[in-house]
Amino acid sequence: MINIAVMGFGTVGAGVADVFEMNGALIAQRLGEPVYVKYILDVREFPDSPFAGRVVHDFDVILNDPAVEIVVETIGGAKVAYDYTKRALAAGKHVVTSNKELVATKGCELLQLAKEKNVNYLFEAAVGGGIPVLRPMQQCLAANEIEEVYGILNGTTNFILSRMVRAGVTFEAALKEAQSLGYAEQDPTADVEGQDACRKICILADLAFGKELPPEHVPTCGISGVTLRDVEIVEQAGWRVKLLGRALRTAGGKVCAYVAPHLVAAEHPFSAVEDVFNAIMVRGNAVGEVMFYGPGAGKLPTASAVAADVLDAAAHREKRKNIGWSAWRAEDAGTPEELELRGYFRVKDPLETVEARFPGSEILASGGEVAFITPKMPLRRLEDAAAALQLCAKMCVLG
Amino acid sequence: MINIAVMGFGTVGAGVADVFEMNGALIAQRLGEPVYVKYILDVREFPDSPFAGRVVHDFDVILNDPAVEIVVETIGGAKVAYDYTKRALAAGKHVVTSNKELVATKGCELLQLAKEKNVNYLFEAAVGGGIPVLRPMQQCLAANEIEEVYGILNGTTNFILSRMVRAGVTFEAALKEAQSLGYAEQDPTADVEGQDACRKICILADLAFGKELPPEHVPTCGISGVTLRDVEIVEQAGWRVKLLGRALRTAGGKVCAYVAPHLVAAEHPFSAVEDVFNAIMVRGNAVGEVMFYGPGAGKLPTASAVAADVLDAAAHREKRKNIGWSAWRAEDAGTPEELELRGYFRVKDPLETVEARFPGSEILASGGEVAFITPKMPLRRLEDAAAALQLCAKMCVLG
């Protein structure tokens, strides 16, 4: 029997305990031995929970119990979670987490510590919720040079954009709806301003390229500036608006990433990704493009990914999985400004000004304001040329 | 260094050799040691190939060389490939294959032999070409009870259907196009009549449910009966026609599968799967639905999956991966006839007859012939009721 501890009994932590109850027999059969949730660490009590008797409040109980081989960290944030994770790894325990903030900011260091202690630090649930993406990218595409990873990485913003498209409501109204359904927090900043997507694209880039890309080096723009007017203009022209995180290897072998709202063509598989679903596209030099799609959040889906990592850690107790990336170096980092992109702009200038400044553009609307998609050009040139216009809105174009 | 042999130097075999050349340095770094293609087994010579000097014609050379630890079988079929695979496994060599026919028909026996010899028999490339799906389903969804797997599993038929929808050409014209592009064989029967999809859904079912489901127990209908008329009628009503393989756990815990053309709603992620791309949806009791999408065939994509298996076999030389399923037993098998489905029919009968026989149907067309979608009912009842009508066309409806 494998004893595990779950730290943080919020939505995901409770889901993890539930999955090991619900599918315990099946898991025991597949793993060859049962998994038992011995402790749940939380500051709160849960008198009505079937796990009430296993709740502890002192991390040392877990740390000092040699029977606990695997610790699940579903606390979130990068403070207490960081401290406990370091101590658990240092004590020779495997750690599994759904904590994207911690992995994006401290993953490199924690993986190094895990390597020294010959234990696993796994975090499939940190990106894409229940969607298998990190493990397939690492293992199933292991014979590929990864050239690019991009995705719809945040369910809240995708729900809001879906509602704007389908119900024709404003950003503000769609956000309220998301909050009332529990899809958005009362303070929705991290989702809406793209920070959550930024952390996830950083983790994807770290793994895909083997080099740390810290969130503070990733230009991030969320969807609070996306208006219903722009959504409608581009929709009429066959485009969908999606918040994407993108990470790619630039010409010189450097790596760069950014987060921004994008126009996605109706024929692209992402256009069918609605509501709180996520999708991640990975481009490898042998396989081409493969996509992973599914529920990007939620109690049981996220717990499904955490539980799979627990099983994987258990199966690799002797021979740990070789996961890690080298620490951040400024010279490895490219800048998105070098990327060649098409841009979408809506401006107050007359059509002639637009056509003079961006020759060859596709004009989507021209009554009063002009909305247009530029030809492909380096992002820097795009921004320079746009700066001289009376800008109402701007977005990137995928492809 | 790990020495491997590639048996069968056709498209996929040549792709495997190419991938190990093209990405050799990267693979060596990830695996911790280089992989060397020591032999290529084929009846032909390849004087112009960079691998010409490694071509051998006698399987025994490979079998008797203890330096060859992993054998790649890209011969195809279930005769020579079956014989060589058995002998390679019996000799304690790991075997990796893209051969769906062999895995679907002899997988259970070969996996048992692999287990006895403590070696790996891996076949990610047998389903979905380059798409990571078997390993993610097994590993990343390991904490789930899999309830259903369904997919667009054959690129040739999906290309033909895409052309019928988008270019408005007939099945026959689209097939000719597929043949001239190299997407369809001169004898396209195995693709067009659904046998290829059948083998793949069998492998998915074997792995998902842990019980062998032989292809001969899976009712299979291809797309040669799909007419442009039906494609256009359903398209107008918001549906796409897709050839799907489906495998699911029925109410009594039994397993059943079938292959048939389906109507897929425009909002379903499958509707954006065009041309030779494949997509596989897996429904687990914790995660819900997750989808894997990508190139379902092709030289380098398929080789990417084979190469990943080679790396996985190499990484699990001491502790083999625990993959397998129990042998076929009639009592484990449900029948698709018990499934509840909606059906699409086009008939010569008058509207009143249709409405009397299938009350509550959605009428899609009623000038002369009547095209309609029935309410959900057991497949057996659906077929019984339809048998009394003057049937021109029938398809299943997904969802």
Side-chain angles (χ1 to χ4, degrees):
Chain A
M1 186 168 74
I2 299 188
N3 287 289
I4 71 170
V6 176
M7 309 193 296
F9 205 56
T11 304
V12 178
V16 172
D18 285 352
V19 164
F20 282 108
E21 281 292 303
M22 180 169 88
N23 293 337
L26 178 109
I27 287 169
Q29 187 201 330
R30 288 189 185 152
L31 188 62
E33 55 187 319
V35 175
Y36 181 70
V37 179
K38 187 169 184 186
Y39 303 113
I40 284 158
L41 178 73
D42 207 290
V43 290
R44 299 164 290 176
E45 295 285 353
F46 301 90
D48 302 329
S49 161
F51 301 96
R54 311 185 206 171
V55 174
V56 296
H57 306 297
D58 181 359
F59 173 63
D60 285 337
V61 175
I62 293 167
L63 194 67
N64 296 329
D65 184 341
V68 174
E69 294 182 81
I70 302 173
V71 174
V72 171
E73 182 267 298
T74 49
I75 299 169
K79 290 175 186 167
V80 178
Y82 177 48
D83 178 42
Y84 289 178
T85 300
K86 267 201 301 193
R87 288 163 66 193
L89 291 172
K93 297 181 194 295
H94 306 273
V95 178
V96 167
T97 188
S98 61
N99 186 336
K100 53 226 167 204
E101 184 180 350
L102 187 59
V103 178
T105 56
K106 302 289 183 188
C108 187
E109 174 196 337
L110 293 168
L111 284 162
Q112 184 56 39
L113 177 58
K115 188 177 180 182
E116 284 160 20
K117 294 293 174 179
N118 195 30
V119 291
N120 294 285
Y121 181 50
L122 302 175
F123 41 86
E124 177 66 67
V127 179
I131 307 172
V133 57
L134 301 185
R135 185 178 287 101
M137 187 172 75
Q138 266 238 315
Q139 291 184 214
C140 306
L141 305 181
N144 285 261
E145 176 114 58
I146 307 286
E147 295 167 343
E148 180 172 354
V149 189
Y150 61 100
I152 298 172
L153 298 168
N154 179 271
T156 309
T157 47
N158 203 53
F159 175 85
I160 292 171
L161 291 170
S162 295
R163 292 299 294 161
M164 290 173 75
V165 170
R166 285 206 311 246
V169 300
T170 62
F171 167 80
E172 291 74 17
L175 171 58
K176 282 222 177 80
E177 216 176 312
Q179 285 171 321
S180 73
L181 287 166
Y183 295 156
E185 319 255 345
Q186 281 318 301
D187 175 1
T189 313
D191 289 323
V192 162
E193 300 305 343
Q195 289 142 2
D196 178 77
C198 174
R199 289 167 186 153
K200 291 169 179 168
I201 197 65
C202 286
I203 297 172
L204 286 163
D206 293 339
L207 269 180
F209 307 123
K211 294 168 183 169
E212 184 182 23
L213 188 58
E216 63 267 29
H217 293 284
V218 174
T220 297
C221 172
I223 64 160
S224 58
V226 175
T227 70
L228 190 55
R229 179 151 168 63
D230 295 298
V231 166
E232 287 171 348
I233 289 170
V234 305
E235 186 78 9
Q236 291 245 324
W239 301 87
R240 285 279 164 94
V241 178
K242 297 287 178 192
L243 180 67
L244 302 187
R246 269 185 90 197
L248 54 173
R249 202 184 287 277
T250 59
K254 297 189 173 186
V255 169
C256 79
Y258 69 98
V259 174
H262 281 71
L263 270 51
V264 173
E267 305 77 45
H268 191 283
F270 278 9
S271 72
V273 178
E274 299 276 17
D275 299 330
V276 292
F277 283 82
N278 283 193
I280 298 101
M281 192 74 86
V282 183
R283 198 175 76 235
N285 73 339
V287 77
E289 285 199 331
V290 295
M291 183 176 85
F292 306 92
Y293 163 95
K299 181 177 181 175
L300 289 181
T302 309
S304 158
V306 171
D309 274 351
V310 169
L311 268 66
D312 210 13
H316 290 85
R317 274 177 290 180
E318 285 129 55
K319 191 179 175 188
R320 73 180 285 277
K321 303 193 73 169
N322 184 25
I323 297 173
W325 49 78
S326 59
W328 160 254
R329 297 191 317 165
E331 58 266 42
D332 293 335
T335 153
E337 295 194 331
E338 298 157 13
L339 295 178
E340 299 249 327
L341 279 177
R342 283 192 287 167
Y344 164 87
F345 297 100
R346 181 162 53 86
V347 298
K348 288 197 173 142
D349 307 78
L351 189 56
E352 305 78 61
T353 313
V354 168
E355 289 180 330
R357 205 155 268 282
F358 288 106
S361 287
E362 182 190 344
I363 308 298
L364 306 188
S366 61
E369 298 170 340
V370 181
F372 61 100
I373 293 175
T374 73
K376 212 172 237 195
M377 60 182 77
L379 188 56
R380 189 191 310 261
R381 245 184 72 206
L382 205 60
E383 300 213 319
D384 284 352
L389 298 174
Q390 300 171 61
L391 212 60
C392 303
K394 62 171 182 173
M395 288 189 273
C396 300
V397 178
L398 181 69
Chain B
M1 186 168 75
I2 299 188
N3 288 288
I4 71 169
V6 176
M7 308 194 296
F9 204 56
T11 305
V12 177
V16 172
D18 285 352
V19 164
F20 282 108
E21 280 293 303
M22 179 169 90
N23 292 339
L26 179 108
I27 288 169
Q29 188 201 330
R30 288 191 184 150
L31 188 61
E33 55 187 318
V35 175
Y36 182 69
V37 179
K38 189 170 183 186
Y39 302 113
I40 284 158
L41 179 73
D42 206 289
V43 290
R44 298 164 291 175
E45 295 285 351
F46 300 89
D48 303 330
S49 162
F51 301 98
R54 310 185 206 171
V55 175
V56 296
H57 306 298
D58 181 359
F59 173 62
D60 284 337
V61 174
I62 294 166
L63 194 68
N64 296 328
D65 185 342
V68 174
E69 293 182 83
I70 303 173
V71 174
V72 171
E73 183 267 299
T74 48
I75 300 170
K79 290 176 186 166
V80 178
Y82 175 49
D83 178 41
Y84 289 178
T85 300
K86 266 201 302 193
R87 288 163 66 195
L89 291 171
K93 296 181 194 297
H94 307 273
V95 178
V96 167
T97 188
S98 60
N99 187 335
K100 52 225 166 204
E101 184 180 349
L102 187 59
V103 178
T105 56
K106 303 288 183 187
C108 187
E109 175 196 337
L110 293 169
L111 285 162
Q112 184 56 39
L113 177 57
K115 189 176 179 183
E116 284 160 19
K117 295 293 172 178
N118 195 30
V119 290
N120 294 285
Y121 181 50
L122 302 176
F123 41 87
E124 177 66 66
V127 179
I131 308 171
V133 56
L134 301 185
R135 185 178 287 100
M137 187 172 77
Q138 265 237 316
Q139 290 184 216
C140 305
L141 306 180
N144 285 260
E145 177 115 57
I146 307 287
E147 295 166 344
E148 180 172 354
V149 189
Y150 61 100
I152 298 172
L153 298 169
N154 179 271
T156 309
T157 46
N158 202 54
F159 175 84
I160 293 171
L161 292 169
S162 294
R163 291 300 295 161
M164 290 173 75
V165 170
R166 285 205 311 245
V169 300
T170 62
F171 167 78
E172 291 76 16
L175 172 58
K176 282 222 177 79
E177 216 178 313
Q179 284 172 322
S180 74
L181 287 165
Y183 295 157
E185 318 254 347
Q186 281 317 303
D187 176 2
T189 314
D191 289 323
V192 162
E193 299 306 342
Q195 288 142 2
D196 177 78
C198 174
R199 290 168 186 152
K200 291 167 178 169
I201 197 65
C202 286
I203 298 172
L204 286 164
D206 293 339
L207 269 179
F209 307 123
K211 293 169 183 169
E212 184 181 23
L213 188 58
E216 64 267 29
H217 293 284
V218 175
T220 298
C221 171
I223 64 160
S224 59
V226 175
T227 70
L228 190 54
R229 179 151 167 64
D230 295 298
V231 166
E232 286 171 349
I233 289 171
V234 305
E235 187 78 9
Q236 290 245 325
W239 301 88
R240 285 280 164 95
V241 178
K242 296 286 178 193
L243 181 67
L244 301 187
R246 271 185 89 196
L248 52 174
R249 201 182 288 277
T250 58
K254 297 189 173 186
V255 169
C256 78
Y258 68 98
V259 175
H262 280 71
L263 271 52
V264 173
E267 304 78 45
H268 192 282
F270 278 7
S271 72
V273 179
E274 298 277 17
D275 299 331
V276 293
F277 283 81
N278 283 192
I280 298 102
M281 192 75 86
V282 183
R283 198 174 77 234
N285 73 339
V287 77
E289 286 199 331
V290 295
M291 182 176 83
F292 306 91
Y293 163 96
K299 181 177 180 173
L300 289 182
T302 309
S304 158
V306 171
D309 274 351
V310 169
L311 269 66
D312 210 13
H316 290 86
R317 274 178 289 182
E318 285 129 53
K319 191 179 175 189
R320 75 180 283 278
K321 302 193 74 169
N322 184 24
I323 296 173
W325 48 80
S326 60
W328 159 255
R329 296 192 317 166
E331 59 265 42
D332 292 335
T335 153
E337 296 193 332
E338 296 156 16
L339 295 178
E340 299 249 326
L341 280 177
R342 283 191 290 167
Y344 164 86
F345 296 100
R346 181 163 53 84
V347 299
K348 289 197 172 140
D349 306 78
L351 189 56
E352 305 78 63
T353 312
V354 168
E355 287 179 331
R357 204 154 269 282
F358 288 105
S361 287
E362 182 189 344
I363 308 296
L364 305 189
S366 61
E369 297 170 343
V370 180
F372 61 100
I373 294 175
T374 72
K376 213 171 235 194
M377 60 182 77
L379 188 57
R380 188 192 310 264
R381 245 183 73 205
L382 206 58
E383 300 214 318
D384 285 352
L389 298 174
Q390 300 170 61
L391 212 60
C392 303
K394 63 172 181 173
M395 288 189 272
C396 300
V397 178
L398 180 69

